[in-house]
Amino acid sequence: MTQQIKKIAVFTSGGDSPGMNAAIRSVVRASAFNKIDCVAIYRGYQGMIEGDFKQMNARSVNNIINKGGTILKSARCEEFREPEGRKRAYEQLKKEGVDAFVVIGGNGSFTGAVKFTEEFNFPVIGIPGTIDNDILGTSYTIGFDTAINTVVDAIDKIRDTASSHNRLFFVEVMGRDVGHIALNAGVGAGAEEILIPEQNLGLERLLDSLKRSKKSGKSSSIVIVAEGDKTGKNVFELKEYVEEHLPIYDVRVSVLGHMQRGGNPTCFDRVLASRMGVKAVDSLLEGKSNCMVGVKDNKLILTPLAEAIKAHTEIDMELLKVSDIMTI
């Protein structure tokens, strides 16, 4: 990169995740610390195309580190998928005097950033903000820790009811393509079975597991189901299948849904977001671009955005083994 960075833009894109506000705060204050201007872009790429910018300073981000969601809003933008839309976005950035931007989001957001920087050679750094923890190049994404704690808290409450009424609960959690939330929350909450997209365990194994649980003296059971699980078409069909083949169970379904995205971020996510925001600004000032900030072995690293979006992260096989042992 040959240009000098004098003004950085920051925005959030795609699905919201707890800790995004902490990352915004970090980028804004790291810019102020380095005595460079920072502008916020509202509504992601849509706001970029429409020139929805706001000048920021260190005081603009007071009292947001503890808030869930994103103060900059987020939106899907079909227009940015087209060359004409990206050209309009570039023109708005240049009109505002923006030299580089930091995008906080997931795979879709980074895919747009890769295309944009290829076309306009524009300096870009990504910060992974998604509850799914599915991006290559980082052990943790911002929001994942908060999400699994939210899920565990919900399952603990559901278990109280399950135990009181001797019921089997299917609890559906987010995870269309990866089962990180289901696996981690399932182990943490002591679930009797965990169904994830990475492994089609089959309906017979599920029945066998529930039979063993009943035989061992368990009066209630919790089965965690990632929404992308391949065992059944959906969690309600799983319920019907078990009721048909194991009528001894009183079966209920609880779909946690978007509550997993909300809530105040945990300390872990606040600290991670703060570290990544500073790293993103430092990286731009050092002349780096088209990279994502990640964390590995508690050290911040950079991964090319094109690598980060190539595939989803793999499931932790050691943790999968632990889950199998714990359900005995």
Side-chain angles (χ1 to χ4, degrees):
M1 189 191 310
T2 57
Q3 71 184 94
Q4 182 182 359
I5 304 295
K6 296 180 179 179
K7 182 182 283 191
I8 291 175
V10 60
F11 64 96
T12 52
S13 176
D16 63 292
S17 64
M20 279 185 163
N21 284 326
I24 294 166
R25 173 180 179 268
S26 180
V27 171
V28 171
R29 291 195 169 173
S31 298
F33 179 83
N34 287 284
K35 295 181 173 54
I36 57 176
D37 291 335
C38 184
V39 296
I41 303 176
Y42 285 82
R43 297 176 295 116
Y45 289 116
Q46 190 67 47
M48 187 184 294
I49 290 172
E50 296 174 6
D52 194 358
F53 302 152
K54 180 182 178 181
Q55 189 72 33
M56 305 291 279
N57 59 45
R59 300 286 71 81
S60 302
V61 289
N62 283 351
N63 304 318
I64 68 169
I65 191 172
N66 60 312
K67 298 183 184 298
T70 164
I71 64 165
L72 300 184
K73 311 298 184 183
S74 187
R76 308 291 180 183
C77 183
E78 291 300 319
E79 192 176 353
F80 195 80
R81 296 176 183 270
E82 303 300 325
E84 296 79 6
R86 293 191 293 272
K87 187 174 186 296
R88 284 185 60 197
Y90 176 74
E91 290 169 351
Q92 292 284 11
L93 290 172
K94 299 313 291 182
K95 179 181 176 182
E96 183 67 22
V98 173
D99 301 311
F101 68 70
V102 175
V103 51
I104 306 166
N107 274 298
S109 306
F110 293 164
T111 300
V114 168
K115 194 70 176 174
F116 188 81
T117 193
E118 284 176 354
E119 291 175 345
F120 301 104
N121 192 30
F122 199 85
V124 174
I125 294 289
I127 294 178
T130 168
I131 66 170
D132 292 323
N133 206 44
D134 60 347
I135 299 177
L136 292 177
T138 186
S139 300
Y140 298 101
T141 58
I142 296 168
F144 174 64
D145 186 70
T146 304
I148 58 176
N149 277 281
T150 297
V151 172
V152 167
D153 184 60
I155 295 171
D156 287 347
K157 291 178 172 63
I158 290 170
R159 190 177 288 281
D160 291 342
T161 293
S163 299
S164 297
H165 297 276
N166 294 340
R167 284 174 176 162
L168 161 64
F169 267 86
F170 284 105
V171 181
E172 184 185 270
V173 301
M174 285 185 167
R176 184 176 64 251
D177 300 308
V178 294
H180 297 302
I181 293 176
L183 181 57
N184 283 268
V187 171
E192 277 67 38
E193 192 63 78
I194 303 168
L195 307 180
I196 56 177
E198 290 85 349
Q199 288 198 331
N200 186 350
L201 301 181
L203 293 170
E204 289 306 314
R205 168 174 162 155
L206 175 61
L207 292 181
D208 290 342
S209 175
L210 294 173
K211 288 175 183 176
R212 286 197 306 273
S213 294
K214 203 72 171 177
K215 189 175 181 180
S216 69
K218 292 183 180 180
S219 59
S220 63
S221 292
I222 300 287
V223 177
I224 308 301
V225 184
E227 59 184 328
D229 171 62
K230 306 299 190 299
T231 301
K233 291 184 179 179
N234 61 56
V235 68
F236 294 99
E237 291 187 352
L238 285 175
K239 171 185 179 294
E240 293 173 0
Y241 185 85
V242 171
E243 285 178 329
E244 179 184 351
H245 291 84
L246 292 176
I248 55 174
Y249 274 107
D250 182 13
V251 189
R252 296 289 188 274
V253 170
S254 182
V255 178
L256 299 189
H258 285 79
M259 69 173 290
Q260 295 161 85
R261 291 193 184 278
N264 298 337
T266 59
C267 180
F268 181 89
D269 275 330
R270 298 182 199 191
V271 172
L272 180 63
S274 299
R275 293 176 66 195
M276 286 184 168
V278 171
K279 179 69 172 178
V281 172
D282 285 348
S283 297
L284 285 171
L285 297 180
E286 291 167 2
K288 297 181 174 66
S289 176
N290 208 17
C291 295
M292 181 197 77
V293 180
V295 62
K296 185 176 183 181
D297 299 328
N298 203 33
K299 302 291 185 184
L300 293 180
I301 60 173
L302 293 178
T303 299
L305 283 173
E307 292 294 322
I309 63 176
K310 268 188 175 179
H312 294 298
T313 50
E314 295 183 356
I315 205 72
D316 186 338
M317 298 307 295
E318 180 186 2
L319 191 57
L320 195 62
K321 177 183 178 182
V322 169
S323 73
D324 288 338
I325 294 172
M326 291 299 104
T327 58
I328 190 170

